[in-house]
Amino acid sequence: MDNNISSENQEQEEQVVNPWEVSAKGKIDYDKLIEKFGCQRLDQSIIDRVAHLTGRPPHVFLRRGVFFAHRDFNEILDAYERGEKFYLYTGRGPSSEALHLGHLVPFMFTKYLQDAFKVPLVIQLTDDEKCMWKNLTVEESQRLARENAKDIIACGFDVSKTFIFSDFDYVGGSFYKNMVKIAKCVTYNKVVGIFGFTGEDHIGKVSFPPVQAAPSFPSSFPHLFAGKHNLRCLIPCAIDQDPYFRMTRDVAPRLGYHKPALIESLFFPALQGETGKMSASDPNSAIYVTDSGKDIKNKINKYAFSGGQDSVENHRKYGANLEVDIPIKYLGFFLEDDVELEHIRTEYGAGCMLTGEVKKRLTEILTEMVERHRRARAAVTDEMVDAFMAVRPLPNMFS
Amino acid sequence: MDNNISSENQEQEEQVVNPWEVSAKGKIDYDKLIEKFGCQRLDQSIIDRVAHLTGRPPHVFLRRGVFFAHRDFNEILDAYERGEKFYLYTGRGPSSEALHLGHLVPFMFTKYLQDAFKVPLVIQLTDDEKCMWKNLTVEESQRLARENAKDIIACGFDVSKTFIFSDFDYVGGSFYKNMVKIAKCVTYNKVVGIFGFTGEDHIGKVSFPPVQAAPSFPSSFPHLFAGKHNLRCLIPCAIDQDPYFRMTRDVAPRLGYHKPALIESLFFPALQGETGKMSASDPNSAIYVTDSGKDIKNKINKYAFSGGQDSVENHRKYGANLEVDIPIKYLGFFLEDDVELEHIRTEYGAGCMLTGEVKKRLTEILTEMVERHRRARAAVTDEMVDAFMAVRPLPNMFS
């Protein structure tokens, strides 16, 4: 009964954001999301502090507000300033062979965090989750996890500081003990409230949240963090993953752990417009790391929603609507040169620059980025995957 | 809403039998239980067949109807007759340090089955379950699992055919994959229907049924049964465990496995009378394997519910009511000599034998049995526990 009410409510809401669905009638209202989830906006003072503490300019995703919300990130920085280290935890649900640009965003940012803070990183591949949600076989989920690991490794992580694991390979031992300890602290009603499960959902779904929660606690990785029960955890992720970690943060003090801190990103918008995440089921909604230069050019020209006017004459007169323009949004993610970006925004907004010119520049940038990724991925051997996924100590992970 | 209705129904029922509760207003009505659960009564023709196929007299627990119900046990026997082997699976939830006589019943019977059919056996110690249900720490659950393993080994299992494992030690790999596959096939509504969970129960409880189901499938034990996907499984257990395996049997064909067969026992009655299982929380309701001869004598004399009359005069006149007499019930489990048991029943029922005499004979038998068990347990070393619990192949397990 309660379940029905909550899912009806959800349908009536203007936007739905959870780990399996991101949709909105108009644009995602991130202020509303922050308020609903109870996280904080990442303000300029924190960004300045990151720059100061790491001695590096803040990552473009920080400067541009791509990572825009957090939970207790300031406490991580306080601890870091006192000389305490922490570890990073991020992950991926391996549901498809090819990653799209949106999938790369958290990994690109996580690599920056690893380099800037010089800290270890665990990356969870939730092949069990995808096996359950997407009705893949165990074997296919595991294959996808390994394929995705290659794309992740291609983002440039440091093998001496990074442990990548798949749940099907790794769940057991201390990790399983933490799953059980976490599950003991969370009622069914609670997960219904957080995730909106119904009685018709299978119990694999109900069992899964502790699997994603467990890596937030250092004792889940005895080969890495033995004796480091107090080590803090920072989780970079898209904000749709927040529900898992809200649950985890509720549980943490009861198990004697720090609450994991989060730093959370916007969704990378679909080519068709900013009403949700890109959909893996519509290949034309996203640019994939496997797309050729020609694919990228075609997709941008054909599908990228333009804020330009319907005729050159009107465009020159009124300028582009940058608020809805997807090429401008994408440039905001991937054009690192602030001066050039500002120039394009000004010229395009004033109608001096045409949609075609902006799309051409975006095509160049994405083609170069995707080709660079493809070269990096081609260089990732099976031996390298094995090395990242080996259950091993990381002797110099904090240096 | 559905949950409330089903739990109210359960409260109104005259008897409640599930893995966590066995209670009845009067005696347990086993015919009703068989009908409700949908299992079959174990009839004389099956017992005769067991004797014929194994070339041994049937175990006293078969002759006396202690193991009284089954699911597809005849199919196990059909397969065995064709020359196919099977494996045995039983288990224990390690919630207390000392086992009582009721706990020994399935293990005594399982040992007989192992010897008679010459088949491998897996024994699951559900330390994760007890950690979750009894609110024990992980460490305490694991300690109890190991202590209980000593009592189990003391029952005489053949180490060359027996693998004992604790969930906290063993869950992972193929076992975890089977947990996920099973969980995918079972909705929350389904487990509510089977186990009566409510929304206030923690999700560890909801997650557990696949853990107890997984050992029913040979691929959960790759070190034992690699390539033996079609191996059948026979589960000896008390009938309160039936709900787990009803669920498992629903799932099995969808995963390409044989449904596990079951052979199910009555509950061993409490000293105070036959209205449920013994309660671990009332030490005077049961005789423990740690009780001294004096304890046993006192408990039987003081607490064992007697069907004898209230005066010697009336007893001589009317005889004992054997239907409610606990010493007679206990002798039915443990006095192997059919002739002597029949003699006692006749004499006691006719009032020729007094309650004190029956209790004296029972005290002798149980004292000897408990002392034998204690000697056997004292001989179980930590090395032996390690040997039974080692993840290893069992090279001659079918011979």
Side-chain angles (χ1 to χ4, degrees):
Chain A
M1 183 93 175
D2 276 354
N3 301 8
N4 294 338
I5 288 174
S6 85
S7 50
E8 276 166 29
N9 275 353
Q10 223 169 32
E11 280 162 33
Q12 287 158 5
E13 278 175 19
E14 279 171 30
Q15 60 184 19
V16 177
V17 175
N18 64 45
W20 311 283
E21 187 184 356
V22 175
S23 65
K25 289 193 176 140
K27 281 168 66 168
I28 298 280
D29 183 337
Y30 286 105
D31 285 323
K32 213 184 217 174
L33 210 53
I34 282 180
E35 192 191 345
K36 188 185 164 198
F37 284 0
C39 40
Q40 287 89 48
R41 207 167 247 287
L42 197 76
D43 60 27
Q44 189 58 44
S45 68
I46 295 187
I47 297 170
D48 294 343
R49 212 177 156 204
V50 170
H52 172 71
L53 285 172
T54 62
R56 297 179 180 227
H59 191 276
V60 58
F61 291 164
L62 281 175
R63 297 199 310 267
R64 305 264 171 83
V66 171
F67 280 79
F68 74 107
H70 76 102
R71 291 178 184 271
D72 289 348
F73 184 43
N74 39 7
E75 292 194 13
I76 290 280
L77 298 178
D78 290 346
Y80 188 80
E81 196 162 21
R82 288 194 303 269
E84 291 175 30
K85 295 280 182 164
F86 58 93
Y87 73 103
L88 294 162
Y89 157 37
T90 191
R92 161 152 179 80
S95 59
S96 62
E97 182 124 9
L99 274 62
H100 58 56
L101 298 182
H103 293 139
L104 292 186
V105 166
F107 292 109
M108 293 167 76
F109 188 65
T110 302
K111 171 177 161 47
Y112 151 77
L113 291 173
Q114 180 177 63
D115 291 347
F117 288 99
K118 298 185 175 53
V119 287
L121 161 66
V122 296
I123 300 177
Q124 180 181 44
L125 302 171
T126 56
D127 46 6
D128 52 350
E129 176 203 10
K130 291 305 168 185
C131 170
M132 292 191 287
W133 261 264
K134 301 283 176 181
N135 211 18
L136 302 173
T137 63
V138 169
E139 293 69 26
E140 179 63 2
S141 311
Q142 288 191 290
R143 190 185 70 79
L144 291 173
R146 229 181 131 82
E147 286 304 307
N148 287 185
K150 291 182 182 170
D151 282 292
I152 292 167
I153 292 166
C155 292
F157 292 106
D158 178 351
V159 69
S160 76
K161 290 187 170 56
T162 306
F163 174 52
I164 303 179
F165 66 99
S166 103
D167 290 338
F168 277 136
D169 284 345
Y170 190 68
V171 165
S174 303
F175 194 99
Y176 179 62
K177 287 172 193 161
N178 278 341
M179 283 164 53
V180 167
K181 287 181 187 175
I182 294 160
K184 267 174 86 168
C185 296
V186 184
T187 66
Y188 177 74
N189 285 341
K190 182 91 183 175
V191 292
V192 166
I194 297 175
F195 299 103
F197 297 137
T198 74
E200 283 309 304
D201 280 318
H202 62 63
I203 56 173
K205 295 188 179 183
V206 180
S207 311
F208 180 73
V211 182
Q212 187 154 335
S216 311
F217 303 141
S219 62
S220 295
F221 305 100
H223 59 291
L224 300 178
F225 307 134
K228 295 190 163 60
H229 194 87
N230 280 319
L231 195 66
R232 288 170 200 269
C233 175
L234 172 64
I235 304 170
C237 61
I239 197 167
D240 60 327
Q241 301 298 303
D242 188 83
Y244 283 119
F245 302 116
R246 238 180 300 154
M247 185 197 88
T248 310
R249 288 168 52 87
D250 276 357
V251 167
R254 296 170 61 185
L255 302 184
Y257 294 106
H258 289 296
K259 295 181 177 189
L262 288 126
I263 180 161
E264 300 179 315
S265 75
L266 308 172
F267 306 118
F268 190 77
L271 282 166
Q272 284 77 2
E274 201 181 10
T275 53
K277 282 202 301 187
M278 288 179 295
S279 159
S281 57
D282 176 8
N284 289 323
S285 73
I287 289 165
Y288 288 84
V289 296
T290 48
D291 283 344
S292 68
K294 199 178 153 198
D295 293 334
I296 294 171
K297 187 179 171 188
N298 284 342
K299 282 187 180 180
I300 291 175
N301 286 340
K302 196 162 171 188
Y303 299 109
F305 188 85
S306 171
Q309 303 301 332
D310 52 4
S311 68
V312 174
E313 196 176 26
N314 279 342
H315 189 76
R316 297 290 185 206
K317 193 164 161 191
Y318 302 111
N321 177 359
L322 303 185
E323 286 306 302
V324 300
D325 190 88
I326 286 298
I328 286 291
K329 301 275 171 200
Y330 278 30
L331 288 172
F333 279 81
F334 298 121
L335 173 53
E336 292 198 24
D337 183 334
D338 292 338
V339 175
E340 186 186 354
L341 180 65
E342 196 45 41
H343 173 76
I344 294 174
R345 288 180 60 91
T346 308
E347 296 290 298
Y348 188 39
C352 306
M353 207 170 176
L354 296 176
T355 294
E357 297 172 88
V358 179
K359 286 191 167 180
K360 184 161 175 285
R361 183 64 183 122
L362 177 63
T363 301
E364 283 169 13
I365 288 168
L366 295 190
T367 302
E368 200 248 308
M369 189 180 129
V370 165
E371 285 187 352
R372 197 171 54 228
H373 180 86
R374 199 152 46 218
R375 280 194 305 273
R377 190 191 194 279
V380 177
T381 61
D382 278 317
E383 289 70 28
M384 284 164 73
V385 177
D386 292 341
F388 273 94
M389 298 185 76
V391 178
R392 66 205 192 276
L394 298 173
N396 301 311
M397 62 188 173
F398 290 115
S399 59
Chain B
M1 182 93 174
D2 277 352
N3 302 8
N4 294 338
I5 288 172
S6 85
S7 49
E8 276 168 28
N9 276 353
Q10 220 169 34
E11 280 162 32
Q12 287 159 5
E13 278 176 19
E14 280 172 29
Q15 59 185 17
V16 177
V17 175
N18 65 43
W20 311 286
E21 188 186 356
V22 175
S23 65
K25 289 192 177 141
K27 280 168 68 168
I28 298 279
D29 182 336
Y30 286 105
D31 285 322
K32 216 184 216 175
L33 210 54
I34 282 181
E35 191 191 348
K36 188 184 165 200
F37 284 1
C39 40
Q40 288 88 47
R41 205 166 251 285
L42 197 77
D43 59 29
Q44 190 57 43
S45 68
I46 295 187
I47 297 170
D48 292 343
R49 212 176 155 203
V50 170
H52 171 72
L53 285 171
T54 62
R56 297 179 181 228
H59 191 275
V60 58
F61 291 164
L62 281 176
R63 296 200 311 264
R64 306 263 171 84
V66 171
F67 279 78
F68 75 108
H70 76 102
R71 290 177 184 271
D72 289 347
F73 184 43
N74 40 7
E75 290 193 16
I76 291 282
L77 297 178
D78 290 345
Y80 188 80
E81 195 160 23
R82 288 194 303 269
E84 290 174 33
K85 294 281 182 164
F86 58 92
Y87 72 102
L88 293 162
Y89 157 37
T90 192
R92 161 152 179 81
S95 59
S96 62
E97 182 125 8
L99 274 63
H100 58 54
L101 298 183
H103 293 138
L104 292 187
V105 166
F107 292 109
M108 293 167 77
F109 188 65
T110 301
K111 173 178 159 46
Y112 151 77
L113 291 174
Q114 180 179 63
D115 290 348
F117 288 99
K118 300 184 174 49
V119 286
L121 161 67
V122 296
I123 299 177
Q124 180 181 43
L125 303 171
T126 56
D127 45 7
D128 51 351
E129 177 203 8
K130 291 306 168 186
C131 170
M132 292 192 287
W133 261 263
K134 300 284 176 181
N135 210 20
L136 302 173
T137 63
V138 169
E139 293 69 28
E140 178 64 1
S141 311
Q142 288 191 287
R143 190 186 70 77
L144 291 174
R146 229 181 129 81
E147 287 303 308
N148 287 185
K150 291 182 184 169
D151 282 292
I152 292 167
I153 291 167
C155 292
F157 292 105
D158 178 351
V159 70
S160 76
K161 292 188 169 56
T162 306
F163 174 52
I164 303 179
F165 65 100
S166 103
D167 290 338
F168 277 135
D169 284 345
Y170 189 68
V171 166
S174 303
F175 194 99
Y176 179 61
K177 286 172 194 161
N178 277 342
M179 282 163 54
V180 167
K181 288 181 187 175
I182 293 161
K184 267 175 85 167
C185 296
V186 183
T187 66
Y188 178 72
N189 285 341
K190 182 90 185 175
V191 293
V192 166
I194 296 175
F195 299 104
F197 297 137
T198 74
E200 284 308 305
D201 280 316
H202 62 63
I203 56 172
K205 294 187 180 183
V206 180
S207 312
F208 180 72
V211 182
Q212 187 154 335
S216 311
F217 302 141
S219 62
S220 296
F221 305 100
H223 59 290
L224 300 178
F225 307 133
K228 293 189 163 61
H229 194 88
N230 279 319
L231 195 66
R232 288 169 198 269
C233 175
L234 173 64
I235 304 170
C237 61
I239 197 165
D240 60 327
Q241 300 298 304
D242 189 83
Y244 283 119
F245 302 115
R246 237 181 300 154
M247 186 198 87
T248 310
R249 287 168 53 88
D250 274 357
V251 167
R254 297 170 61 184
L255 301 184
Y257 294 106
H258 289 296
K259 295 181 176 189
L262 288 128
I263 182 162
E264 300 177 317
S265 75
L266 308 172
F267 307 117
F268 190 77
L271 282 166
Q272 285 76 3
E274 201 181 12
T275 54
K277 281 204 301 188
M278 289 180 294
S279 161
S281 58
D282 175 7
N284 290 323
S285 72
I287 288 164
Y288 288 85
V289 296
T290 47
D291 283 344
S292 67
K294 197 177 155 199
D295 293 333
I296 294 171
K297 186 178 172 190
N298 282 343
K299 282 186 179 181
I300 290 174
N301 285 340
K302 195 161 171 191
Y303 299 109
F305 188 85
S306 171
Q309 302 302 331
D310 52 5
S311 68
V312 174
E313 195 177 27
N314 279 339
H315 189 76
R316 297 289 185 209
K317 192 165 162 191
Y318 300 113
N321 178 356
L322 303 185
E323 284 307 300
V324 300
D325 190 90
I326 285 297
I328 285 291
K329 301 274 171 201
Y330 278 30
L331 287 172
F333 279 81
F334 297 121
L335 172 54
E336 292 197 26
D337 183 334
D338 292 337
V339 176
E340 185 185 356
L341 180 65
E342 196 43 45
H343 173 77
I344 294 173
R345 290 180 59 90
T346 307
E347 295 290 298
Y348 188 40
C352 306
M353 207 167 172
L354 296 176
T355 293
E357 296 172 86
V358 179
K359 287 190 167 181
K360 182 160 176 290
R361 182 66 182 121
L362 177 64
T363 301
E364 282 168 13
I365 288 168
L366 295 190
T367 302
E368 200 247 309
M369 190 179 128
V370 165
E371 284 188 352
R372 197 171 53 229
H373 180 85
R374 200 153 44 221
R375 279 193 305 272
R377 191 189 192 280
V380 177
T381 61
D382 278 317
E383 290 69 28
M384 283 165 72
V385 177
D386 292 341
F388 273 95
M389 298 185 77
V391 178
R392 68 203 192 278
L394 299 173
N396 301 312
M397 63 189 172
F398 290 115
S399 58

